[in-house]
Amino acid sequence: MELRLLVTFEKVATVLSFTRAATELKYAQSSVTSQILPQALGSARAGETPIWRPPSARSSSTGSAAASA
């Protein structure tokens, strides 16, 4: 991951707002969103491991046991 993306991610996490992060970084809000969301949602390039997967995509050992009980 590029340093620019890490800085943007840290700012969004700190201020808890894409809009405020964009203002503080002097970026357009759409630029911040387009930097963070593909990484966070796992729609990165093929072959890369996504940072986040939705709960339905995760394997859970407790889910199958609960369904059979």
Side-chain angles (χ1 to χ4, degrees):
M1 184 179 287
E2 295 178 30
L3 180 59
R4 173 181 53 89
L5 294 175
L6 290 173
V7 169
T8 303
F9 181 80
E10 186 272 334
K11 182 58 76 175
V12 171
T14 301
V15 299
L16 301 175
S17 167
F18 284 91
T19 303
R20 282 191 299 182
T23 301
E24 291 184 22
L25 293 169
K26 297 183 181 10
Y27 292 161
Q29 186 270 334
S30 60
S31 175
V32 171
T33 302
S34 66
Q35 287 178 40
I36 300 300
L37 286 183
Q39 297 294 323
L41 298 177
S43 56
R45 287 170 270 157
E48 292 183 356
T49 304
I51 296 171
W52 180 84
R53 291 185 316 206
S56 61
R58 297 180 194 151
S59 61
S60 172
S61 60
T62 59
S64 60
S68 62

